[in-house]
């Protein structure tokens, strides 16, 4: 091979070598950062992955333990989030009871499903309303009426068929509140204590009353004016 040909071959190989060196130069700082992070990380167990004295099998065991811990932490977080989304509201106040005492605040809870279907069907049977379509329209009207406020009063589901039924039953607008109260179950009087709406301060039970508010029938506890707002 001629000298000129050898020089051409070397010239062709140099760019590839430069690319390899550039990749190594970029990989070096990343490797250094990962080693420092693993050696000085604040997460428990991470530091063992960066110890050069540990065997590879030991590092794999620590990695498996860390992954298991992360999995269960995520599982507990999802359970807490689901409980926050679906379960009852819990009101807590952080305090140091050795230095001051904070009285339990008043609390009002307004359920969205107010009309009890069992009481509604008994009402329909008593008044000889057996048509399923009429029952459905009447229930939608009473339920929307029970959930009406100043903001959504225009969303009450009325119809000519409902007006005819109310006229037949001789129920006037002034009787609507009594109708809703009679078709709403008082959740504070349930036989099952686990399903009963109640309030508890430490080990002491506080009376909860069914009240009438601007948001309809609600439940108020630890309130001095609640007896004046009761529906009974």
């Amino acid at each position: 091979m001629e000298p000129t040909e050898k020089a051409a071959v070397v010239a062709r190989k140099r760019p590839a070598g430069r690319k390899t060196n550039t990749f190594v130069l970029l990989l070096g700082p990343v490797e250094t950062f990962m080693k420092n992070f693993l050696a000085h990380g604040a997460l428990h167990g991470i530091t063992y992955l960066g110890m050069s004295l540990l065997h590879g099998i030991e590092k794999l065991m620590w990695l498996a333990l860390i992954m298991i811990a992360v999995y269960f932490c995520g599982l507990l977080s999802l359970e807490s989030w689901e409980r926050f989304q679906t379960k009852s509201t819990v009101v807590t106040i952080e305090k140091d009871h050795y230095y001051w005492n904070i009285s339990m605040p008043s609390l009002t809870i307004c359920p969205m499903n107010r009309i009890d279907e069992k009481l509604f069907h008994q009402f329909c049977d008593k008044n000889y309303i057996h048509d399923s379509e009429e029952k459905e329209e009447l229930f939608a009207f009473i339920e929307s009426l029970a959930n009406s406020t100043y903001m959504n009063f225009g969303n009450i589901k009325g119809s000519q068929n409902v007006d005819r039924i109310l006229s037949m039953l001789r129920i006037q607008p002034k009787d609507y509140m009594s109708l809703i109260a009679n078709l709403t179950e008082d959740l504070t009087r349930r036989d099952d204590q686990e399903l009963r709406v109640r309030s508890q301060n430490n080990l002491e039970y506080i009376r909860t009353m069914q009240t009438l508010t601007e948001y309809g029938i609600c439940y108020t506890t630890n309130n001095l004016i609640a007896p004046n707002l009761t529906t009974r």
Side-chain angles (χ1 to χ4, degrees), residues 90-94:
V90 178
V91 179
T92 59
I93 300 176
E94 294 185 2

Side-chain angles (χ1 to χ4, degrees), residues 137-138 141 157-171 176:
E137 290 186 15
L138 183 60
F141 168 75
K157 300 178 181 179
S159 64
Q160 294 182 355
N161 198 20
V162 171
D163 293 339
R164 181 184 60 80
I165 296 174
L166 295 176
S167 177
M168 179 186 66
L169 299 177
R170 297 182 180 179
I171 298 177
Y176 286 168

Side-chain angles (χ1 to χ4, degrees), residues 2 4-7 12-14 17 22 25-26 29-30 34 77 80 89 100 134 146 156 190 195 203 206:
E2 296 296 331
T4 55
E5 294 180 358
K6 291 182 180 180
R12 293 192 193 100
K13 291 183 177 180
R14 282 179 181 175
T22 303
L25 291 175
L26 292 176
V30 175
M34 291 301 299
S77 299
S80 300
T89 302
W100 69 79
E134 291 182 351
I156 297 177
R190 282 183 169 178
L195 300 177
L203 298 178
I206 302 176

Side-chain angles (χ1 to χ4, degrees), residues 12-157:
R12 293 192 193 100
K13 291 183 177 180
R14 282 179 181 175
R18 289 176 182 175
K19 291 182 180 179
T20 304
N21 293 335
T22 303
F23 178 75
V24 172
L25 291 175
L26 292 176
L27 186 62
V30 175
E31 183 180 1
T32 303
F33 170 78
M34 291 301 299
K35 287 182 178 180
N36 291 332
F37 175 77
L38 295 176
H40 303 91
L43 296 177
H44 186 70
I46 290 292
T47 55
Y48 296 102
L49 299 179
M51 289 184 177
S52 58
L53 299 179
L54 293 181
H55 193 271
I57 297 178
E58 293 178 296
K59 292 183 179 181
L60 289 177
M61 292 178 61
W62 275 107
L63 180 61
L65 291 175
I66 293 172
M67 295 300 295
I68 293 173
V70 170
Y71 169 77
F72 281 105
C73 286
L75 189 64
L76 291 175
S77 299
L78 291 176
E79 289 181 356
S80 300
W81 177 252
E82 182 181 1
R83 182 181 179 185
F84 173 77
Q85 293 288 335
T86 59
K87 302 300 180 182
S88 302
T89 302
V90 178
V91 179
T92 59
I93 300 176
E94 294 185 2
K95 63 179 181 178
D96 188 348
H97 62 276
Y98 291 106
Y99 295 99
W100 69 79
N101 180 27
I102 299 177
S103 301
M104 181 178 176
S106 176
L107 180 66
T108 300
I109 301 174
C110 298
M112 298 306 298
N113 297 325
R114 292 186 169 91
I115 304 302
D116 184 79
E117 293 188 5
K118 182 179 179 181
L119 295 176
F120 175 76
H121 288 303
Q122 292 177 357
F123 171 80
C124 291
D125 293 339
K126 182 180 179 181
N127 292 278
Y128 305 101
I129 303 175
H130 303 294
D131 185 75
S132 58
E133 184 177 353
E134 291 182 351
K135 282 185 176 182
E136 184 177 352
E137 290 186 15
L138 183 60
F139 182 84
F141 168 75
I142 299 176
E143 179 71 18
S144 61
L145 184 64
N147 290 318
S148 62
T149 64
Y150 296 115
M151 302 297 294
N152 62 357
F153 201 75
N155 298 331
I156 297 177
K157 300 178 181 179

